[in-house]
């Protein structure tokens, strides 16, 4: 580390840079509230400004590659320390990674002021750098089974690059296809990670023995999702019309629903940290089912996608951030009324964005604003509960979560 880096680290609050969940959960939360409120002002016509790529591009890009990527990287680099026993990036390295993410978000807001090449380079550097940090940890302990996370980050980087080049007017680059493929990648991550931890968390809290894993079911789910992802990536270039996409989506939805049903959601009703995870996980097969309906019956793609983004991602990210923030700061894994209310608010946001818009499309613009308000309340409650927790030392006075 350079002399400048050493001096800088000495002047930065080290608890905040102890593990990746601290800066990135805080940044992701703040940014999601800011970005959605800004999007609401744009939709309502109360604000006129031109972010990079225009309003729609900015909203779609930043909620996936800004908010979700920050939460995902914060979780992965924290979890990798538990997986490998290797010290995760902290201090100055973590500060640099957070700055890369932050500058990318600022540049995206500045429209044409910043050159295209600089915006793309900084934005793509975030997930590339995170993938490198993660790979170093996994290679050191030969954690081959977790290499999927590195591959996923690299694919996300590639798809992010395609979204940027869609602005150049090249016919092979479609913003929609790139965003949807990225959402499938993140859905795969939630499916894999959730499938590992939710049964364990449920068994530990309810004191009930976990259901044994069914190898063929687990393998079929992974194979199905990866095939869908590959088809979407191929489709970006060749614009192929795969009629069997509906079959793949419906099959994948059924398989994940079978897995989810075996976790006995009803046994977790007294444990908000558990039912929030399980309920958000149920939005995955629901979203995949309606994506299948889109290709089979021309069901609304927007509604199907928002089942995954608001219900599954919004709910699971909030629940996992709460759980990790408690556990890695030395606190008991118990949700209070504020946390429970935040979970309920996010699921209400998903219901309004999906069901209300579906049945009353003429009032869609109003429901969009209600969804934004509910999301902002839910994540503001997380900020109220954990804002100071994320920047202060552990309550058990350990200087590190390692």
């Amino acid at each position: 580390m350079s002399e400048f880096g050493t001096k800088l680290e000495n002047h930065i609050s080290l608890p905040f840079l102890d593990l990746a969940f601290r800066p990135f959960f805080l940044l992701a939360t703040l940014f999601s509230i800011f970005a959605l409120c800004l999007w609401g002002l744009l939709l309502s016509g109360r604000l006129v400004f031109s972010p990079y790529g225009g309003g729609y591009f900015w909203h779609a890009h930043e909620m996936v590659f800004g908010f979700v990527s920050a939460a995902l990287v914060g979780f992965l680099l924290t979890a990798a320390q538990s997986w490998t026993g290797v010290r995760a990036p902290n201090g100055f390295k973590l500060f640099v990674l957070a700055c890369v993410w932050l500058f990318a978000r600022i540049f995206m807001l500045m429209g044409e002021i910043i050159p295209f090449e600089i915006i793309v380079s900084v934005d793509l550097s975030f997930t590339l750098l995170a993938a490198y940090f993660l790979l170093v940890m996994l290679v050191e302990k030969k954690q081959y089974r977790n290499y999927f996370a590195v591959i996923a980050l690299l694919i996300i980087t590639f798809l992010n690059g395609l979204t940027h080049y869609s602005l150049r007017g090249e016919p092979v680059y479609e913003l929609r296809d790139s965003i949807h493929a990225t959402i499938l990648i993140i859905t795969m991550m939630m499916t894999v990670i959730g499938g590992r931890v939710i049964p364990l968390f449920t068994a530990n809290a309810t004191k009930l023995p976990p259901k044994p894993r069914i190898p063929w079911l687990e393998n079929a789910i992974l194979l199905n999702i990866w095939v869908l992802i590959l088809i979407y990536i191929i489709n970006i270039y060749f614009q192929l019309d795969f009629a069997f996409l509906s079959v793949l989506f419906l099959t994948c939805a059924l398989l994940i629903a079978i897995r989810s049903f075996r976790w006995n959601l009803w046994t977790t009703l007294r444990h908000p940290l558990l039912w929030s995870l399980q309920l958000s996980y149920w939005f995955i097969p629901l979203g995949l089912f309606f994506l299948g309906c889109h290709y089979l019956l021309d069901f609304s793609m927007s509604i199907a996608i928002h089942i995954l983004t608001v219900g599954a991602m919004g709910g699971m990210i909030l629940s996992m951030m709460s759980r990790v923030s408690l556990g890695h700061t030395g606190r008991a894994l118990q949700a209070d009324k504020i946390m429970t209310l935040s979970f309920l608010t996010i699921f209400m946001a998903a219901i309004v964005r999906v069901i209300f818009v579906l049945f009353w499309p003429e009032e869609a613009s109003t429901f969009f604003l209600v969804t934004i308000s509910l999301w902002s309340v839910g994540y503001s409650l997380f900020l109220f509960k954990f804002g100071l927790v994320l920047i202060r030392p552990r309550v058990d006075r350990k200087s590190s979560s390692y």
Side-chain angles (χ1 to χ4, degrees):
M1 185 184 298
S2 67
E3 182 180 352
F4 169 76
T6 303
K7 290 181 179 179
L8 182 59
E9 183 171 350
N10 290 336
H11 289 85
I12 295 175
S13 177
L14 290 180
F16 181 63
L17 297 174
D18 179 54
L19 270 176
F21 79 94
R22 290 178 176 270
F24 286 115
F25 286 3
L26 187 58
L27 289 171
T29 300
L30 287 168
F31 182 71
S32 76
I33 298 168
F34 167 77
L36 281 179
C37 287
L38 199 59
W39 177 237
L41 292 173
L42 285 171
L43 286 176
S44 63
R46 297 179 182 179
L47 178 67
V48 178
F49 91 113
S50 298
Y52 172 82
Y56 174 76
F57 177 94
W58 178 81
H59 167 68
H61 181 278
E62 290 300 88
M63 289 307 293
V64 174
F65 297 106
F67 162 66
V68 176
S69 290
L72 180 62
V73 167
F75 171 81
L76 287 176
L77 291 181
T78 301
Q81 183 166 287
S82 299
W83 297 342
T84 64
V86 177
R87 186 71 167 102
N90 61 93
F92 184 67
K93 289 183 179 178
L94 188 54
F95 176 76
V96 170
L97 186 62
C99 284
V100 171
W101 178 91
L102 184 60
F103 277 111
R105 310 287 67 82
I106 294 172
F107 291 166
M108 291 287 296
L109 279 171
M110 298 177 71
E112 298 180 355
I113 298 176
I114 307 296
F116 173 83
E117 292 78 10
I118 293 179
I119 294 177
V120 175
S121 298
V122 175
D123 192 31
L124 301 188
S125 294
F126 171 64
T127 42
L128 277 178
L129 191 56
Y132 168 74
F133 286 148
L134 183 60
L135 180 62
V136 169
M137 298 174 68
L138 297 177
V139 167
E140 182 172 339
K141 294 296 182 178
K142 299 181 180 179
Q143 289 262 333
Y144 304 119
R145 69 190 296 260
N146 290 319
Y147 279 11
F148 79 93
V150 177
I151 296 172
L153 287 176
L154 294 177
I155 296 176
I156 287 172
T157 305
F158 167 72
L159 293 171
N160 190 7
L162 293 189
T163 66
H164 286 288
Y165 280 98
S166 71
L167 298 178
R168 290 298 178 97
E170 298 292 339
V172 296
Y173 298 122
E174 292 289 340
L175 170 66
R176 182 191 64 182
D177 292 336
S178 299
I179 292 291
H180 291 174
T182 306
I183 289 171
L184 281 180
I185 283 283
I186 296 168
T187 299
M188 181 273 294
M189 297 289 287
M190 294 190 300
T191 302
V192 172
I193 295 172
R196 290 181 182 180
V197 302
I198 292 177
L200 178 62
F201 292 164
T202 301
N204 290 341
T206 62
K207 308 304 180 184
L208 297 173
K211 294 289 183 66
R213 294 168 63 88
I214 303 177
W216 71 262
L217 179 62
E218 304 296 326
N219 294 332
I221 289 173
L222 283 179
L223 177 62
N224 205 312
I225 291 182
W226 275 113
V227 170
L228 282 169
I229 291 169
L230 290 174
I231 289 175
Y232 260 77
I233 293 175
I234 292 172
N235 193 46
I236 290 172
Y237 284 99
F238 298 103
Q239 296 298 298
L240 303 175
D241 182 18
F242 289 96
F244 60 90
L245 268 177
S246 60
V247 176
L248 289 175
F249 275 117
L250 293 174
T251 301
C252 195
L254 176 62
L255 294 173
I256 296 176
I258 293 172
R259 172 204 254 177
S260 303
F261 184 79
R262 300 180 71 248
W263 295 340
N264 301 333
L265 170 62
W266 53 90
T267 66
T268 68
L269 298 182
R270 294 183 179 181
H271 307 279
L273 285 174
L274 284 177
W275 62 250
S276 60
L277 267 181
Q278 289 218 26
L279 189 57
S280 60
Y281 200 89
W282 268 104
F283 276 90
I284 296 177
L286 186 64
L288 296 176
F289 172 79
F290 282 110
L291 281 173
C293 291
H294 166 76
Y295 289 99
L296 185 66
L297 305 171
D298 200 28
F299 182 83
S300 169
M301 172 67 85
S302 175
I303 288 179
I305 286 296
H306 281 86
I307 291 174
L308 292 175
T309 55
V310 182
M313 295 180 195
M316 187 169 291
I317 286 172
L318 184 62
S319 183
M320 286 301 296
M321 287 198 310
S322 299
R323 186 180 190 93
V324 172
S325 297
L326 289 173
H328 282 276
T329 59
R331 291 168 170 81
L333 295 176
Q334 296 178 352
D336 60 13
K337 294 181 179 179
I338 293 176
M339 296 166 62
T340 303
L341 181 59
S342 70
F343 301 151
L344 291 172
T345 305
I346 292 301
F347 292 126
M348 289 172 59
I351 290 171
V352 171
R353 179 59 182 85
V354 173
I355 297 178
F356 283 38
V357 172
L358 176 63
F359 287 102
W360 296 281
E362 67 278 3
E363 299 293 336
S365 58
T366 299
F367 294 138
F368 292 161
L369 297 178
V370 173
T371 300
I372 290 170
S373 299
L374 288 169
W375 178 292
S376 299
V377 170
Y379 274 81
S380 293
L381 289 171
F382 173 85
L383 191 62
F384 175 79
K385 175 69 179 180
F386 291 105
L388 293 178
V389 169
L390 292 172
I391 64 177
R392 289 176 174 173
R394 292 176 57 112
V395 293
D396 53 11
R397 296 186 179 181
K398 291 181 181 179
S399 61
S400 168
S401 299
Y402 179 52

